[in-house]
Amino acid sequence: MEVVKKAIKPKSKGGLGLSMPIILRFPDVLHHRLSKLQSSFDGAIRAAHYDGCYRGVFPVKCNQARFVVENIVEFGRSFGFGLEAGSKPELLLAMASLCKGSTEALLVCNGYKDAEYICLALLARRIGLNCIIVLEQEKEVDLVLNVSRKLSIDPVIGMRAKLSTKHAGHFGDTSGEKGKFGLSCAEIISVVSKLRHAHKLHCLQLLHFHIGSQIPSLAILNDGVSEAAHLYCELALMGAAMKILDIGGGLGIDYDGTCSAQSDMSVGYRMEEYAVQVVQAVKSACSRKGVKHPILCSESGRAIVSHHSVFVFNVFSSSTGTNTQTEKGVALDVDDLPQELKDIHGRLISCAKACDYNGAFEHAKMLKHRCCALFKQGEFKLEHLAKINEIYNVMYEVMEKGKTGVNSAHMESNSVCADYGVGSRSADATYHINMSIFRSIPDLWAIGQLFPMIPIHRLLEEPTLRVTLSDLTCDSDGKVDRFIEKDSKGGKLNSLRVHELEQGRPYYMGMFLAGAYQEALGSLHNLFGAVASVAVWKNRSVKHGFKVVEINDGQTIGDVLRVMDYDPREIMRTFKLHMNKPPLHLDPHNPEQETTGFVHILQRALSSSTYLRSRRAT
Ligand code: PLP
């Protein structure tokens, strides 16, 4: 909270003058994750008396932000940590960053390639980088041989293998024999024979595979690594100058705190156990086949960068949900109603009292249907219609909660049964949040990924409200109504516990573990732009001290308009032209001054944030 206050305080008062929402980056956390990964492998290698070393690379697609990539290169310089690229722009940024890194560091080039990509990768070798071209398709080998002949630069080649190992988690589709990427066994043999024929078998030095992100268990990891390690040994025995086994990404993280392979938001192992498993599986395959232990490379992305940033946003208003409005739940003053409706309502109440929620919901539907019909005929008052809609909504929520299992415990309990009239507790309200799901949490919308979210202040006050979150976009998918929090039976909850908003006091929340993938995947839906970011460094000379430095101030309205090919200068010229010939119905007094003021407002809008201006934190 102190960081947020400093970030949004006006520059004139010593702050950074940024507007919400903001990404807080914690480079010390990044450093810690990287060191932990390296030391996990170093420890496993020592313990197993493994002859090779560990040389990881960071797949920049996880977060291409310059601050992140350059910090990884700097923190990893002492142990030769490298980068992985999957496209030409990623390769160029990785080359530029690694020029400042260790000469030992690897630069792994994945992804489909054309001659230009291969040319860039070869030039990377020319400028002294340890660049390896990983073939994703068999035909790429011809391209590599052609381009390298033209440039007279010998390539170092890797091959991505299509393993039979597959995991069943969300990201498992990458893997398996029908996976999108890599070479089959037959294609691998064909590449070896082409290289041998071209007298370039010495260039083949790396075998790569990736069985998908968030590998759920050590058993699946062991399967994949063992299969690949045997493949690696076969290639070595076929005469390739094999040196490196690249096990891809997939080291998972624990989003929901369960550390369980059964959860789709977690994995059943710790980083150290992952490293031990890899080292043991490779050692065992190499011992069996009498092959020298390879350098182990991994392309862990999520596990390195997820923890380093916190996305902070503010709540700007709330709308009360059905629960608080329907304090009396399904009760209804039936005096004015036609007998037909009184009867339906009576049956609804009986079902509810007997905890027959299906029955009660059916009657609620019938009640709503009949009321709408009567309203259309002009025979019903708006107040009644509103009340009956509320009753329907209460029942609808009860049914929804029943479906997700959220409230099954409650639905069975007599106390809630008796308490039925007060309305079952799903969301009490919707909090409107100053951010775009599509920009800042695209995975939540696209693949149902959940992230921990909590308020970042008022932490000594009990949060008494359950809410869902609704973002700024004009899109019904722009909402958060699934959370990692669980009910007493382990079911996922569709509302989040927060504090009640207080008049005149801003409310800030944080989304955690969001440092991987979200920033690059985020879209410009409704033209909400990239958000501001700051770096928070620990200040070791002061107890609990920290230093906040602006990294960037986010995209302005002008910036996002430019992305869509509008020219803000041209827009301003058009506005000014029209400002000088005001509509005839206006009778401007002092037109000179007014025009200048209006032009200033328009100009300021183009250079301001795409998000809502928020009140300052106190
Ligand atoms: N390497 C490759 C080839 C990938 O496709 C991916 C992501 O899917 C990664 C590395 C990074 O995976 P993760 O972030 O799960 O470590």
Side-chain angles (χ1 to χ4, degrees), residues 59 61-62 84 110 136 160 171 174 181 208-210 212-215 248-252 299-303 516-517:
K61 72 171 166 191
C62 274
E84 182 259 9
N110 289 331
E136 299 269 2
R160 177 166 178 169
F171 302 98
T174 315
F181 304 101
H208 164 57
F209 71 96
H210 172 72
S213 213
Q214 284 288 93
I215 297 172
L251 168 55
E299 301 177 356
S300 299
R302 197 182 288 276
Y517 297 109

Side-chain angles (χ1 to χ4, degrees), residues 375-391:
F375 187 76
K376 283 180 200 161
Q377 291 159 15
E379 291 177 25
F380 212 57
K381 284 202 271 182
L382 183 61
E383 293 96 309
H384 277 133
L385 188 64
K387 181 66 199 162
I388 280 160
N389 275 340
E390 274 177 27
I391 292 177

Side-chain angles (χ1 to χ4, degrees), residues 358-379:
N358 279 323
F361 185 54
E362 284 309 310
H363 286 105
K365 273 200 288 196
M366 208 185 304
L367 196 61
K368 179 170 170 163
H369 177 74
R370 283 302 299 139
C371 291
C372 286
L374 289 172
F375 187 76
K376 283 180 200 161
Q377 291 159 15
E379 291 177 25

